[in-house]
């Protein structure tokens, strides 16, 4: 088992798995232990006190991290005419309408994000059974169904992260690469904590953030002490 290998054991040496580390300390420890031959992704996991099966306890949103993710995101856009041209100029990897829908139906889905203009949702809606299970269905609340196609493409390519509670109320998201500076990672981590905290659903009862941890792709996870992370108030507050 890979996780029990020598590299993992070396990375875990000297760490207290029961301790709650400050964001700054955790980032420093995780970053300096990311010794794989590739640029490891720094990942976060949130264990939330919600039941995603209930509509009023769904947690989902997007955030543009201050320093991006370091990941190359392939974007597919459903649009026609001027909007299709705008998508191409903005850097979209795949642009089309019915032709793109046919490719998706055939299982050709070499992309990480799907954006659509409102007039294309009749076509895109028919792909729900294919895109939905992969979390790729465009959603106006996430800014992926929009008339401002160019801006949506730029945001997706520029380090925007979508977070979504999966089974058992777990949210996983990448916040950068091990090659990022400690300061950049700290700012990205705090931004994501802030976003997930603000996304607390009205139906959630009891402790919302039960546990938050951080790790590198091949390294051990560390629990975070998020009590000192200030959460910005909403406009209504």
């Amino acid at each position: 088992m890979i996780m029990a290998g020598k590299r993992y054991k070396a990375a875990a040496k000297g760490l207290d798995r029961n301790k709650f580390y400050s964001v700054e300390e955790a980032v420093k420890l995780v970053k300096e232990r990311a010794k794989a031959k590739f640029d490891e992704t720094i990942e976060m996991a949130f264990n939330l006190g919600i039941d995603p099966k209930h509509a009023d306890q769904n947690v989902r949103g997007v955030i543009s991290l201050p320093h991006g993710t370091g990941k190359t995101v392939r974007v597919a856009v459903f649009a026609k005419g001027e909007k299709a041209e705008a998508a191409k100029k903005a850097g979209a990897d795949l642009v089309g309408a019915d032709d793109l829908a046919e490719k998706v139906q055939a299982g050709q889905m070499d992309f990480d994000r799907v954006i659509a203009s409102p007039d294309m949702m009749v076509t895109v809606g028919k792909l729900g059974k294919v895109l939905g299970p992969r979390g790729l269905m465009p959603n106006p609340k996430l800014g992926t169904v929009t008339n401002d196609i160019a801006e949506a493409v730029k945001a997706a390519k520029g380090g925007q992260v979508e977070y979504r509670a999966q089974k058992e109320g777990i949210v996983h998201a990448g916040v950068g690469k091990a090659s990022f500076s400690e300061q950049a990672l700290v700012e990205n981590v705090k931004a994501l904590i802030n976003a997930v905290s603000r996304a607390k659903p009205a139906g959630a009862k009891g402790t919302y953030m039960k546990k938050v941890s951080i790790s590198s792709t091949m390294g051990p996870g560390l629990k975070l002490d998020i009590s000192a992370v200030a959460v910005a108030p909403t406009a209504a507050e």
Side-chain angles (χ1 to χ4, degrees):
M1 186 176 178
I2 295 177
M3 295 299 281
K6 292 182 179 179
R7 181 182 292 130
Y8 180 84
K9 289 182 179 179
K13 188 176 182 180
L15 298 179
D16 184 346
R17 301 299 295 278
N18 296 313
K19 177 180 177 180
F20 287 87
Y21 291 87
S22 68
V23 171
E24 290 78 7
E25 188 176 12
V27 163
K28 176 180 175 62
L29 291 170
V30 168
K31 177 178 165 62
E32 65 186 20
R33 283 168 167 74
K35 301 296 185 181
K37 294 182 179 180
F38 61 93
D39 193 5
E40 295 183 53
T41 296
I42 305 302
E43 304 169 341
M44 292 187 69
F46 296 78
N47 185 345
L48 304 178
I50 61 171
D51 185 349
K53 295 178 183 177
H54 296 290
D56 66 344
Q57 293 189 43
N58 185 39
V59 173
R60 186 178 184 183
V62 293
I63 176 176
S64 293
L65 295 176
H67 303 281
T69 64
K71 176 184 177 181
T72 299
V73 178
R74 287 183 59 81
V75 178
V77 176
F78 284 88
K80 296 178 180 178
E82 293 182 358
K83 290 185 177 65
E85 290 304 312
K88 292 175 183 178
K89 291 181 180 179
D93 300 279
L94 298 169
V95 181
D98 293 335
D99 56 331
L100 181 54
E102 290 177 5
K103 292 180 180 179
V104 172
Q105 284 283 24
Q108 298 178 39
M109 293 188 286
D110 183 22
F111 45 77
D112 308 293
R113 189 74 58 87
V114 179
I115 295 169
S117 59
D119 60 302
M120 287 301 303
M121 285 309 293
V122 173
T123 298
V124 178
K126 298 175 183 178
L127 303 173
K129 292 183 178 179
V130 181
L131 297 175
R134 295 171 180 259
L136 294 172
M137 193 67 183
N139 186 323
K141 293 183 179 179
L142 301 178
T144 47
V145 177
T146 176
N147 280 310
D148 194 348
I149 295 292
E151 188 59 35
V153 171
K154 291 176 182 177
K157 298 289 255 181
Q160 190 181 64
V161 170
E162 180 178 344
Y163 56 89
R164 181 182 186 184
Q166 304 294 331
K167 188 177 180 181
E168 307 302 333
I170 305 296
V171 171
H172 289 283
V175 289
K177 295 290 186 177
S179 59
F180 281 23
S181 69
E182 286 183 26
Q183 185 61 33
L185 287 171
V186 165
E187 292 178 8
N188 278 0
V189 167
K190 289 184 176 181
L192 184 59
I193 292 173
N194 194 310
V196 175
S197 179
R198 284 162 55 90
K200 179 180 179 180
K205 305 299 181 184
T207 302
Y208 175 52
M209 287 195 182
K210 292 183 175 181
K211 185 174 73 171
V212 182
S213 61
I214 185 172
S215 66
S216 63
T217 304
M218 304 295 289
L222 295 179
K223 292 187 290 187
L224 294 178
D225 175 5
I226 61 171
S227 62
V229 179
V231 176
T234 61
E237 296 173 332

